[in-house]
Amino acid sequence: MSSYEQKELSIKKRIDEISRLIFEVANGNFDYKINLSDNDDELDGLIGGINMLGEELKASTVSKDFIESIYKGVVDTLVILRPDLSIERVNDAALKSLNYQANELENEPFRKIISDADYLILEAVRKTLIHEDNCHDIEINLQHKNGDYIPHSASFSILYDNHRNNLGIILIAKDITQQKQFENELLQAKERAEATNEAKSNFLANMSHEIRTPLNGILGFINLMMETSPSEVQQNYLRLIKVSGESLSKLLNDMLDLNKIEQQKLSLESLEFDFREKIITDLKPYKYLAEEKGIAFEIAVDEKIPKVLKGDPVRINQVIRNLVTNAVKFTNSGSIYVNFKVLKPTADNMVNIAVEVIDSGKGIPFQKQETIFESFTQADNSISREFGGSGLGLTIAKYMVELMKGNISVESPPVSKNRDQGSMFQFNMLLGVPEKPSLLSTTAVDPSKLKFESAHHVLIVDDNEINLTLTKKVLETLGATFQTAENGQEAVDMAKTYDFDLILMDVQMPVMNGWLATEYLRKMGYDKPIIALSANVYKEHIDKCLEVGMDAHMRKPFSKVDLFNIISKQLSLKS
Ligand code: ADP
């Protein structure tokens, strides 16, 4: 065989080998290889090219498989949308959860499986995706083939090719049906709890009104009877009835306060008041009480405490009174010491006052010292039997002190004061110091000597006969004349007919309440003072009284002095 023929044969053989190589590669056998000859000729170039193509195909086909396996492995719904929002692909998990076949969804508009409202969300997402590569935790509802909507939490991201051309949107969505159910149950439970709470508050408000009304009658008449020179025995009985009535009144107020605290509706006033007159004077009765028990009672007031302060004197008194009442209650011998002092300098126009109430009484076991500030907690269970009380006082005190940006604590025994017996409660409060106090100083008066200087004719409006009689009696002793009305409607009619100097108006009444009656009177141009007389002392209640056109609000039960002062003030303002 000539060398030419030999060469031709070897070329033919290599072409056969190349054909085989192409066949194998075309059939996915990318590992099939043939060797290059030593000639480095065009056929070697071709073989090299096909080998390289095989390698590349192997690499790209494997990664395609890899992507496919990831695609199948995603357990959440996965949808690929084209830029026109038609569906390019959906994964098996999506098909299963929505109960569709692939051909029923692919190439269909995405609208087919979402509601109109959610389509709007999708439009918004698309706008967001212009600036950001992805959007997370968007709530959408995907529609099951049976028409039901299934809530999903979806994440969207833009699908780019290698040249950052936008190929569409990739959406991964998680079925959140269970989470939604849980949220709904929680919401319903919350709504039920709120409704129960609301019902409880309404019940408490109504009940307190119902209890307070007769209680005010009892307390008011006791005061009047005290002025009728009763015998010593009668005086003692009256005092006992008064103490019982007052504790009932305190319990009622505590329950209402606690309810307000629980609903976070308790707020403090910011009024100018004379610290010594309002706070220290209020402690005097406790001095007598302690001395009756044979206990010494001392009060020390730091001279640096300014005369006039800004805050809520009623609430401050409530806290101090609670601590002092407990000190008197739980001390049988020794002494009680109440100390007011100014703490280190604070911001301008503010003063930080510390109050210590130290007693030499039975003390509080260490392990109970934290819990006594919790509702309905007493240091030991025999206390309510022996001393009475509800265990609410300190809870309310703590809340009030915190509202005044202070802290309350107990030390028992008060070792820091070198005492080995008793308890020391201490708290501090931040109060305002007015630059130019506008407060007028008042002087103490003897109730039995009080009389109006000129004749006043008053309309008393109250649906409760006892309260009506009580107010009549007090006005009588003050030298005023009066007429009465039993509801707002009657009051309006009487105000049209008779000439009164002033109206004392109960708020909660049948037929027409005091607010409506006042509104009505003011609309028809009635300009005489109208004073609300009501047992409700919450800010929103008082505000409402002023809003409807009343001139002032007076708390029930009121004293003779209170009534005298408020009437005198209102009449002098209008004259
Ligand atoms: P209560 O109306 O029962 O007095 P408080 O909240 O005012 O409610 O007090 C809770 C409990 O703390 C009391 O029942 C008592 O056990 C204890 N306690 C409070 N103050 C004193 C004190 N000065 N000495 C001894 N125990 C006290």
Side-chain angles (χ1 to χ4, degrees):
M1 202 184 291
S2 68
S3 68
Y4 177 76
E5 280 170 337
Q6 267 181 3
K7 197 173 176 190
E8 204 174 38
L9 192 70
S10 99
I11 288 175
K12 224 176 141 206
K13 201 173 144 209
R14 286 181 69 204
I15 287 177
D16 282 348
E17 282 173 359
I18 290 169
S19 305
R20 176 85 200 271
L21 174 65
I22 291 171
F23 175 82
E24 292 295 337
V25 170
N27 282 293
N29 184 4
F30 306 124
D31 291 327
Y32 189 88
K33 295 269 174 331
I34 52 172
N35 295 331
L36 301 178
S37 68
D38 300 330
N39 306 339
D40 198 18
D41 57 7
E42 283 169 10
L43 286 180
D44 271 351
L46 187 61
I47 292 166
I50 296 171
N51 278 346
M52 259 166 64
L53 183 67
E55 284 299 323
E56 261 177 40
L57 278 173
K58 182 180 168 187
S60 63
T61 309
V62 168
S63 63
K64 223 172 156 186
D65 286 348
F66 186 58
I67 287 171
E68 197 66 24
S69 67
I70 291 175
Y71 195 77
K72 284 201 183 320
V74 174
V75 288
D76 292 327
T77 286
L78 195 155
V79 182
I80 294 176
L81 300 172
R82 297 196 185 89
D84 66 355
L85 297 185
S86 65
I87 300 172
E88 184 168 335
R89 275 196 77 175
V90 268
N91 72 344
D92 292 349
L95 294 172
K96 194 166 165 216
S97 112
L98 304 177
N99 195 28
Y100 277 105
Q101 299 296 322
N103 61 0
E104 291 175 297
L105 290 184
E106 281 169 8
N107 301 319
E108 292 289 324
F110 190 45
R111 233 177 216 288
K112 182 169 178 174
I113 50 168
I114 53 170
S115 66
D116 288 349
D118 284 336
Y119 199 76
L120 291 178
I121 295 179
L122 192 69
E123 289 288 351
V125 166
R126 198 150 66 152
K127 276 189 196 136
T128 312
L129 288 176
I130 296 173
H131 315 287
E132 286 163 37
D133 282 350
N134 40 48
C135 261
H136 294 285
D137 304 325
I138 311 287
E139 247 184 71
I140 56 165
N141 293 292
L142 297 180
Q143 197 175 22
H144 189 275
K145 199 171 173 183
N146 68 10
D148 289 350
Y149 283 102
I150 306 173
H152 280 78
S153 170
S155 299
F156 299 81
S157 32
I158 298 264
L159 202 59
Y160 291 113
D161 68 6
N162 289 345
H163 307 287
R164 261 190 99 73
N165 292 317
N166 183 344
L167 298 181
I169 295 172
I170 179 162
L171 176 164
I172 297 183
K174 189 170 183 56
D175 184 343
I176 51 166
T177 310
Q178 275 190 351
Q179 185 187 323
K180 281 266 140 192
Q181 265 168 6
F182 182 63
E183 277 172 15
N184 275 342
E185 279 162 20
L186 222 78
L187 195 74
Q188 279 171 12
K190 188 170 164 258
E191 280 169 2
R192 274 198 302 275
E194 275 169 4
T196 315
N197 230 338
E198 182 83 30
K200 190 179 102 185
S201 301
N202 288 342
F203 170 75
L204 259 176
N206 288 336
M207 188 194 73
S208 77
H209 183 262
E210 294 306 313
I211 298 177
R212 248 182 231 207
T213 309
L215 196 59
N216 291 343
I218 296 171
L219 290 172
F221 277 109
I222 291 169
N223 286 336
L224 284 179
M225 278 179 81
M226 292 276 207
E227 287 184 17
T228 60
S229 332
S231 69
E232 206 175 309
V233 179
Q234 285 169 331
Q235 266 188 35
N236 268 339
Y237 290 165
L238 286 174
R239 214 172 297 132
L240 286 175
I241 303 174
K242 194 173 173 190
V243 170
S244 309
E246 280 168 353
S247 350
L248 197 56
S249 178
K250 179 178 182 304
L251 175 64
L252 204 61
N253 289 337
D254 281 357
M255 277 167 57
L256 281 170
D257 280 345
L258 189 74
N259 185 45
K260 286 261 157 182
I261 289 171
E262 279 172 355
Q263 298 195 12
Q264 298 181 349
K265 281 187 184 161
L266 201 129
S267 53
L268 294 184
E269 292 278 1
S270 180
L271 306 171
E272 279 187 20
F273 64 97
D274 184 321
F275 187 78
R276 282 162 188 81
E277 189 189 299
K278 285 271 182 225
I279 309 294
I280 311 299
T281 316
D282 198 67
L283 285 175
K284 283 220 174 106
Y286 297 93
K287 190 172 164 62
Y288 301 133
L289 269 181
E291 283 168 0
E292 260 180 26
K293 275 182 94 176
I295 310 161
F297 191 99
E298 269 178 60
I299 305 171
V301 185
D302 188 341
E303 279 179 2
K304 291 200 284 298
I305 297 179
K307 180 175 162 52
V308 178
L309 293 174
K310 217 170 166 203
D312 191 333
V314 173
R315 297 309 193 177
I316 297 172
N317 270 336
Q318 193 178 344
V319 177
I320 299 174
R321 236 185 284 140
N322 181 64
L323 300 184
V324 174
T325 311
N326 281 343
V328 175
K329 191 156 84 174
F330 296 109
T331 307
N332 288 327
S333 62
S335 61
I336 293 170
Y337 179 63
V338 188
N339 184 21
F340 295 86
K341 61 179 182 195
V342 171
L343 291 181
K344 63 181 178 324
T346 44
D348 281 356
N349 307 327
M350 296 297 278
V351 63
N352 191 357
I353 297 178
V355 184
E356 293 168 344
V357 179
I358 307 169
D359 67 54
S360 56
K362 68 196 289 267
I364 301 164
F366 183 71
Q367 67 276 18
K368 290 280 177 183
Q369 291 179 15
E370 270 297 310
T371 53
I372 52 166
F373 291 100
E374 290 166 12
S375 317
F376 303 107
T377 310
Q378 297 183 321
D380 80 65
N381 294 336
S382 62
I383 278 175
S384 52
R385 266 174 278 129
E386 192 183 340
F387 299 98
S390 58
L392 289 181
L394 288 177
T395 313
I396 295 166
K398 183 172 192 280
Y399 186 81
M400 304 278 176
V401 168
E402 282 167 3
L403 277 183
M404 290 187 275
K405 308 209 165 28
N407 283 305
I408 186 165
S409 61
V410 64
E411 197 183 318
S412 181
V415 242
S416 63
K417 299 281 170 186
N418 292 324
R419 298 190 181 209
D420 52 11
Q421 195 194 338
S423 324
M424 173 175 70
F425 281 85
Q426 52 186 345
F427 73 91
N428 70 306
M429 53 191 169
L430 267 184
L431 298 174
V433 183
E435 244 171 77
K436 285 188 198 137
S438 55
L439 199 73
L440 298 167
S441 89
T442 50
T443 42
V445 277
D446 176 358
S448 62
K449 299 211 173 98
L450 280 178
K451 276 255 181 305
F452 291 123
E453 279 170 8
S454 51
H456 300 315
H457 192 50
V458 178
L459 173 62
I460 317 167
V461 194
D462 204 319
D463 62 320
N464 183 284
E465 205 190 322
I466 297 180
N467 282 345
L468 211 58
T469 316
L470 181 63
T471 317
K472 278 188 328 198
K473 285 278 170 212
V474 178
L475 280 179
E476 215 171 68
T477 60
L478 289 172
T481 52
F482 48 80
Q483 279 173 271
T484 60
E486 286 182 8
N487 60 57
Q489 182 62 59
E490 260 184 37
V492 172
D493 294 342
M494 289 181 73
K496 283 183 196 163
T497 322
Y498 302 99
D499 188 16
F500 298 106
D501 294 305
L502 176 140
I503 300 179
L504 295 177
M505 180 86 82
D506 184 22
V507 174
Q508 210 168 327
M509 289 180 292
V511 187
M512 183 188 276
N513 69 32
W515 288 332
L516 271 178
T518 306
E519 255 173 341
Y520 195 87
L521 284 166
R522 293 302 186 217
K523 264 191 204 133
M524 64 182 223
Y526 191 80
D527 64 352
K528 297 290 169 57
I530 302 177
I531 300 170
L533 278 191
S534 112
N536 190 329
V537 286
Y538 288 120
K539 193 173 177 307
E540 63 265 26
H541 179 90
I542 299 173
D543 287 350
K544 174 91 196 258
C545 291
L546 302 179
E547 237 168 65
V548 297
M550 293 176 168
D551 297 271
H553 172 280
M554 191 166 72
R555 167 193 199 134
K556 281 195 221 169
F558 54 83
S559 68
K560 195 171 166 180
V561 183
D562 292 338
L563 193 66
F564 177 85
N565 282 343
I566 202 159
I567 292 182
S568 309
K569 184 176 170 197
Q570 289 306 320
L571 290 177
S572 70
L573 286 176
K574 291 267 170 168
S575 61

